[in-house]
Amino acid sequence: MPDQPIDPPSPPAATGMKKGLTSYGDTGFSLFLRKAFIKGAGFTDAALERPVIGITDTGSDYNPCHGNAPQLVQAVKRGVMLAGGLPMAFPTISVHESFAAPTSMFLRNLMSMDTEEMLRAQPMDAVVLIGGCDKTVPAQLMGAASAGLPAIQLITGSMLTGSHRGERVGACTDCRRYWGKFRAGEVDADEIAEVNDQLVASVGTCSVMGTASTMACIAEALGMTVPGGASPPAVTADRIRIAELTGARAVQMARDHLTIDRILTPEAFENAMRVLLAIGGSTNGIVHLAAIAGRMGLEIDMAALDRMGRQTPVLLDLKPSGQHYMEDFHHAGGMATLLRELKPLLRLDALTVTGRTLGEEIDAAGPGFRQEVVRTMANPIYPQGGIAVLSGNLAPGGAIIKQSAADARLMEHQGRAVVFDNLEDMASRIDSDELDVTADDVLVLRNIGPKGAPGMPEAGYIPIPRKLARAGVKDIVRLSDGRMSGTAFGTIVLHVTPESAIGGPLAHVKSGDQIRLSVARREITLLVSDDELAQRALDQPVTEPTADRGYRKLYLQSVTQADKGADFDFLKAAHMTGRVPRV
Ligand code: FES
């Protein structure tokens, strides 16, 4: 497949079934025993001599976003065998957004550890990572980056859109929009039940530019999928063909020993960040990219990312920043269309899993055609990148806002803080008629950071207080140390770092304080003096959360802040070698 030679590989010491033998103190016996067991499944010696391609099967009845996993595994196996390899599917953890308590983010690092260790423990020359739902693709890329094998990502693909009373709907921007209408009394109980049947019209990942779609586009921009791997919906023939191609490609990667460190370079991360900004991608994409980069010894330079954002318009017209859905993006040519438009801003020499560079793949995709989903650089849907990086005394380690999904009227705003101490406090008071709140206030929610909830839940999309919603208020400035779903919208400041649970300034904001947001100046400021803040910290010291046992204990001891990807400190690369992006 490569049309230019790639650097000579340094072959691994052992390959195929001979890799990573179980320790019995006698390697000959270890291999003898391994082959005896696998022959119990009917394999021949000829099959066992082939390159072994692992396939992570993340199908789960709890994960409808991976509901097509059985067909994908079959298609990958077909591709592997057509190319002369031996496919070996194996299960790993699967994490779905709505079926993970307290939050899927709490389990992302566990999934990455599972993936890494099973890639290390089992004999395979390359691996196909099947992921889709929000945390799964980052978890797999993190694990594979640490394991160091040749690895290729296969996305499960987006769901189809549904229809409600003639209006096209899809998860989950429309889930939030209709729930907001229900809260405001604009939609009754019967209608909201009808909508519930239509929001997720098939298996597959959320149909808008949420975190799953964002990570699919990022995976392709990183060079970790075959060309065109991001956009085909889950239930299409295109998705199955991509799976077959992925399997075949994995075999060649094993033969070429095209390891992941040759793909996940600083240039690849720069391309991924450029794409994140240009698609109006989920704010979660930054956290995940920081975690994946950390595994490769790279730190995200948030100030440089903001500079990059100022030069990168949003081109993709998808909800929640725009109008369309993922299947429309696919019909518009998918990532090839976007990358062709972004070409002047990309690192074209970054190597991809095909063995060719990103620039070569863009050229190979051929000319574009008339379509309405990817705008031109001259006619963007938003003039700057979707995400702006803020700082100030309220967020010394930074915060972010998805400006492309915010209300332009509120981007320069000063208001009175209305503080909720945690999720329970918010749930008990947000809909009370007694809540002292106006549309000009700033809603503050704390203790939802990486350690706070724990797991940095997507609760930063604080609901509009019911009495304001009923009065027709559609947006209000909101601020927290948590995350929000990529499918959400509003003037919402997120990832305030350091978080309140470890004593960040957010812990000491009081209702009635003035807060100033200036997206133009990239500032988030608490209008309280340093002395007063220091006194408040002395008066009410913060006790960090702990746990007695188990994964929660490991998590609370080890999780890092949002700007470091909320990865575990012991999982990042042993040596940090640089910062990205270099703009
Ligand atoms: Fe799985 Fe949205 S819930 S992608």
Side-chain angles (χ1 to χ4, degrees):
M1 193 165 179
D3 59 3
Q4 70 174 39
I6 51 180
D7 296 341
S10 30
T15 58
M17 283 291 159
K18 301 183 190 72
K19 277 187 82 176
L21 291 170
T22 311
S23 304
Y24 292 114
D26 176 344
T27 53
F29 177 69
S30 294
L31 183 59
F32 174 75
L33 202 60
R34 172 174 287 174
K35 288 175 78 170
F37 277 112
I38 201 73
K39 283 179 176 175
F43 288 88
T44 61
D45 280 315
L48 299 177
E49 286 305 313
R50 290 181 166 202
V52 177
I53 308 301
I55 305 165
T56 63
D57 181 355
T58 50
S60 159
D61 286 351
Y62 287 106
N63 195 344
C65 299
H66 293 201
N68 59 344
Q71 294 99 308
L72 293 181
V73 169
Q74 287 311 312
V76 173
K77 285 185 169 181
R78 184 167 71 241
V80 169
M81 288 195 282
L82 283 169
L86 174 64
M88 297 288 289
F90 61 97
T92 74
I93 295 173
S94 189
V95 182
H96 184 276
E97 289 303 290
S98 296
F99 290 92
T103 163
S104 59
M105 188 64 175
F106 179 66
L107 297 167
R108 184 203 61 181
N109 296 348
L110 183 64
M111 184 173 175
S112 85
M113 290 170 73
D114 178 11
T115 303
E116 176 183 345
E117 295 308 327
M118 295 318 284
L119 264 53
R120 287 186 192 284
Q122 302 173 135
M124 62 189 81
D125 300 299
V127 63
V128 175
L129 307 159
I130 302 180
C133 196
D134 294 17
K135 307 304 176 293
T136 59
V137 170
Q140 292 180 323
L141 291 175
M142 291 158 69
S146 297
L149 289 173
I152 185 168
Q153 185 77 54
L154 174 61
I155 303 296
T156 58
S158 60
M159 63 183 69
L160 301 180
T161 50
S163 175
H164 172 66
R165 300 186 181 177
E167 185 195 2
R168 197 177 179 203
V169 291
C172 232
T173 303
D174 297 320
C175 314
R176 295 172 202 285
R177 192 164 57 82
Y178 269 94
W179 191 249
K181 287 184 176 197
F182 178 57
R183 282 174 54 78
E186 295 167 22
V187 159
D188 64 19
D190 287 344
E191 185 172 355
I192 198 72
E194 272 181 46
V195 174
N196 195 250
D197 280 346
Q198 291 300 318
L199 290 165
V200 179
S202 74
V203 297
T205 58
C206 287
S207 53
V208 299
M209 189 44 73
T211 305
S213 303
T214 299
M215 292 310 301
C217 295
I218 280 180
E220 187 165 342
L222 283 169
M224 285 299 302
T225 73
V226 295
S231 62
V235 297
T236 58
D238 280 348
R239 174 55 63 197
I240 301 296
R241 263 189 293 276
I242 289 286
E244 183 185 303
L245 286 171
T246 301
R249 186 60 214 159
V251 177
Q252 195 57 45
M253 291 175 73
R255 292 194 172 117
D256 292 342
H257 199 50
L258 182 51
T259 45
I260 195 166
D261 57 308
R262 300 173 67 201
I263 313 291
L264 294 184
T265 57
E267 292 74 21
F269 284 104
E270 287 187 34
N271 288 336
M273 283 182 252
R274 193 69 81 176
V275 163
L276 170 67
L277 293 161
I279 61 178
S282 165
T283 47
N284 292 322
I286 292 179
V287 182
H288 297 319
L289 267 175
I292 301 163
R295 300 297 186 97
M296 301 306 298
L298 297 167
E299 235 182 301
I300 303 286
D301 181 338
M302 296 299 277
L305 176 65
D306 189 72
R307 284 198 296 280
M308 185 184 249
R310 290 176 190 263
Q311 315 154 346
T312 313
V314 177
L315 300 181
L316 190 52
D317 189 2
L318 246 63
K319 291 186 177 210
S321 298
Q323 291 307 310
H324 297 282
Y325 294 88
M326 272 304 274
E327 61 196 87
D328 306 320
F329 180 38
H330 183 56
H331 295 149
M335 283 292 285
T337 305
L338 181 87
L339 294 173
R340 193 182 296 115
E341 196 60 38
L342 272 184
K343 194 174 173 187
L345 298 176
L346 294 172
R347 298 279 192 166
L348 299 173
D349 51 348
L351 190 64
T352 77
V353 288
T354 63
R356 300 197 287 203
T357 65
L358 189 70
E360 288 170 324
E361 290 301 348
I362 295 171
D363 292 344
F369 52 89
R370 220 175 128 79
Q371 48 78 39
E372 293 178 345
V373 181
V374 180
R375 300 277 191 90
T376 62
M377 296 282 269
N379 180 33
I381 78 156
Y382 195 80
Q384 297 188 354
I387 295 167
V389 180
L390 310 173
S391 64
N393 68 343
L394 196 45
I400 58 169
I401 184 168
K402 187 168 181 177
Q403 53 180 342
S404 59
D407 185 336
R409 291 175 309 109
L410 293 171
M411 306 268 261
E412 305 294 316
H413 183 81
Q414 181 176 325
R416 188 184 60 141
V418 175
V419 178
F420 300 99
D421 257 327
N422 50 43
L423 286 167
E424 295 71 32
D425 181 31
M426 185 187 77
S428 69
R429 293 196 293 130
I430 190 91
D431 286 340
S432 165
D433 286 338
E434 309 305 312
L435 184 68
D436 179 14
V437 65
T438 74
D440 293 328
D441 291 337
V442 176
L443 302 182
V444 174
L445 175 57
R446 60 185 166 218
N447 288 309
I448 61 163
K451 288 195 181 185
M456 209 180 178
E458 290 184 340
Y461 181 71
I462 304 168
I464 307 283
R466 197 189 298 265
K467 70 181 192 185
L468 296 183
R470 283 192 174 138
V473 175
K474 300 289 185 219
D475 198 6
I476 181 169
V477 176
R478 287 158 270 182
L479 183 152
S480 76
D481 45 11
R483 299 177 298 117
M484 80 172 179
S485 164
T487 63
F489 48 90
T491 311
I492 300 176
V493 178
L494 301 156
H495 308 181
V496 168
T497 303
E499 64 175 307
S500 52
I502 63 168
L506 188 61
H508 308 298
V509 181
K510 290 184 175 173
S511 286
D513 288 347
Q514 288 287 313
I515 292 177
R516 190 174 63 216
L517 168 67
S518 170
V519 178
R521 291 201 303 275
R522 302 294 198 258
E523 284 174 7
I524 184 71
T525 310
L526 178 65
L527 300 176
V528 169
S529 71
D530 291 349
D531 289 349
E532 168 66 14
L533 266 181
Q535 189 58 48
R536 289 183 189 180
L538 285 174
D539 293 344
Q540 285 201 309
V542 166
T543 306
E544 289 193 27
T546 57
D548 291 335
R549 61 167 298 281
Y551 177 70
R552 182 176 282 244
K553 181 172 183 174
L554 177 72
Y555 180 94
L556 289 173
Q557 284 174 343
S558 311
V559 74
T560 58
Q561 291 292 283
D563 59 332
K564 302 286 183 282
D567 198 3
F568 291 159
D569 50 12
F570 61 86
L571 290 176
K572 70 174 188 181
H575 303 289
M576 301 306 277
T577 54
R579 309 186 84 197
V580 286
R582 295 169 301 182
V583 294

